[in-house]
């Protein structure tokens, strides 16, 4: 009972009292027409993260929602919750980029609004950053991952897309698309300032750039549950993904991306993990 009361008090403090110091962690939730799920998701994340007893912020990056998502978040008026509004739907990649570049934390996580990967998996990714990695990727394919209710169609499409990514891009990450990724503040600023894809394939572009910039990337097995009510079409997203593969390669060949990471990466890493 005492532990539950302590968790509730920590949550209430986060809700009502602005952080007295810069946040250690920023969490970005991209949201498009999430009126059914956004409040439970905010509640789950806020309860878990507040109980850690360290300053953190939550950023909801709206993607031009046409339902009541924005109004629901506005009505909360939480002291440490930031709502980024969008005039029109531009894509998940655009929403995540805006949120990641607005983040002030030493660590920055983006997590899908459906909480397919529960926030309780955060500490596993955080441990990898503490070991010196720039990026920790939640993975449904790494040894030890738990995947529930994933349809046969999603499994087949996922296998085919991963095969193409591995063959054409040489990316070692088994699961590039899981919506649960943690970055140091320095890595987030570097990668998302260069990200150009506004659609669902932005994850692949970010990981491609991370490899190009010689960043250390860890793949961490997580629990993942295919949340009901998803508005995402697996086939439509997969077709768009294929087109984006070509765009990334062409952009790189045309010199649209920097050839290396700017600044002293080792010093930046130290500054954002200390």
């Amino acid at each position: 009972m005492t532990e539950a009361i302590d968790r509730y008090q920590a949550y209430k403090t986060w809700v009502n009292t602005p952080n007295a110091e810069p946040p250690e962690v920023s969490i970005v939730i991209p949201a498009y027409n999430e009126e059914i799920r956004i409040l439970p998701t905010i509640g789950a994340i806020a309860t878990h993260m507040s109980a850690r007893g360290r300053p953190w912020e939550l950023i909801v990056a709206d993607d031009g929602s046409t339902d009541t998502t924005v109004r629901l978040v506005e009505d909360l008026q939480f002291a440490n919750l930031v709502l980024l509004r969008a005039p029109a739907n531009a894509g998940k990649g655009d929403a995540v980029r805006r949120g990641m570049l607005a983040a002030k934390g030493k660590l920055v996580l983006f997590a899908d609004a459906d909480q397919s990967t529960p926030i309780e998996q955060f500490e596993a990714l955080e441990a990898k950053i503490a070991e010196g990695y720039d990026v920790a990727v939640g993975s449904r394919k790494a040894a030890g991952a738990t995947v529930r209710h994933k349809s046969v169609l999603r499994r087949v499409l996922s296998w085919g897309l991963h095969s193409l990514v591995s063959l054409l891009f040489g990316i070692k990450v088994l699961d590039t698309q899981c919506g649960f990724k943690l970055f140091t503040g320095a890595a987030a600023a570097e990668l998302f300032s260069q990200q150009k894809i506004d659609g669902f394939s932005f994850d692949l572009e970010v990981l491609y750039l991370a490899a190009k910039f010689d960043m250390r990337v860890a793949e961490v097995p997580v629990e993942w549950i295919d949340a009901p009510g998803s508005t995402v079409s697996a086939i439509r997203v997969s077709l768009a993904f294929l087109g984006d593969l070509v765009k990334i390669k062409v952009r790189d060949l045309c010199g649209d991306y920097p050839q290396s990471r700017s600044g002293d990466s080792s010093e930046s890493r130290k500054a954002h993990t200390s």
Side-chain angles (χ1 to χ4, degrees), residues 56-103:
W56 72 285
E57 66 174 353
L58 180 61
I59 299 173
V60 176
D62 174 59
D63 187 23
S65 295
T66 56
D67 63 359
T68 62
T69 297
V70 170
R71 181 168 61 82
L72 289 171
V73 177
E74 285 178 329
D75 288 349
L76 292 175
Q77 296 186 358
F78 286 176
N80 297 294
L81 188 158
V82 177
L83 172 63
L84 302 180
R85 302 169 183 82
N89 176 242
K92 182 180 179 182
D94 178 77
V96 172
R97 177 173 58 243
R98 288 186 289 110
M100 300 296 277
L101 294 179

Side-chain angles (χ1 to χ4, degrees), residues 117-195:
T117 303
I119 190 58
E120 286 78 11
Q121 305 294 297
F122 174 81
E123 280 73 22
L125 274 64
E126 182 184 35
K128 286 298 181 183
I129 299 295
E131 292 177 14
Y133 287 90
D134 299 288
V135 185
V137 178
S139 175
R140 298 161 291 186
K141 295 181 180 179
T146 302
V147 177
R148 301 175 187 174
H149 310 310
K150 191 173 186 180
S151 68
V152 174
L153 175 61
R154 282 178 176 266
R155 291 177 186 273
V156 171
L157 290 173
S158 178
W159 174 85
L161 294 175
H162 168 67
S163 298
L164 281 174
V165 168
S166 178
L167 178 65
L168 297 178
F169 289 81
I171 294 177
K172 303 301 181 184
V173 174
L174 297 174
D175 184 1
T176 62
Q177 302 308 115
C178 180
F180 200 79
K181 294 181 175 68
L182 181 65
F183 303 76
T184 65
E190 185 79 25
L191 294 170
F192 287 90
S193 64
Q194 299 299 333
Q195 174 216 335

Side-chain angles (χ1 to χ4, degrees), residues 107-261:
L107 301 180
V108 189
L109 175 83
F110 79 76
D112 284 345
D114 62 9
Q115 278 284 278
S116 291
T117 303
I119 190 58
E120 286 78 11
Q121 305 294 297
F122 174 81
E123 280 73 22
L125 274 64
E126 182 184 35
K128 286 298 181 183
I129 299 295
E131 292 177 14
Y133 287 90
D134 299 288
V135 185
V137 178
S139 175
R140 298 161 291 186
K141 295 181 180 179
T146 302
V147 177
R148 301 175 187 174
H149 310 310
K150 191 173 186 180
S151 68
V152 174
L153 175 61
R154 282 178 176 266
R155 291 177 186 273
V156 171
L157 290 173
S158 178
W159 174 85
L161 294 175
H162 168 67
S163 298
L164 281 174
V165 168
S166 178
L167 178 65
L168 297 178
F169 289 81
I171 294 177
K172 303 301 181 184
V173 174
L174 297 174
D175 184 1
T176 62
Q177 302 308 115
C178 180
F180 200 79
K181 294 181 175 68
L182 181 65
F183 303 76
T184 65
E190 185 79 25
L191 294 170
F192 287 90
S193 64
Q194 299 299 333
Q195 174 216 335
K196 303 180 187 304
I197 289 178
D198 290 335
F200 282 92
S201 309
F202 77 94
D203 306 68
L204 173 64
E205 183 182 31
V206 166
L207 291 176
Y208 182 75
L209 290 171
K212 187 179 182 66
F213 297 162
D214 292 324
M215 292 185 182
R216 296 188 65 199
V217 179
E219 191 165 12
V220 183
V222 295
E223 177 185 359
W224 186 88
I225 304 169
D226 194 3
S230 174
T231 58
V232 176
S233 165
I235 293 178
R236 178 174 58 82
V237 169
S238 297
L239 290 174
F241 187 89
L242 291 173
D244 287 338
L245 286 174
V246 176
K247 290 178 184 177
I248 293 170
K249 203 68 175 177
V250 169
R251 282 173 176 156
D252 198 14
L253 292 172
C254 291
D256 289 350
Y257 301 126
Q259 294 305 304
S260 61
R261 185 176 183 180

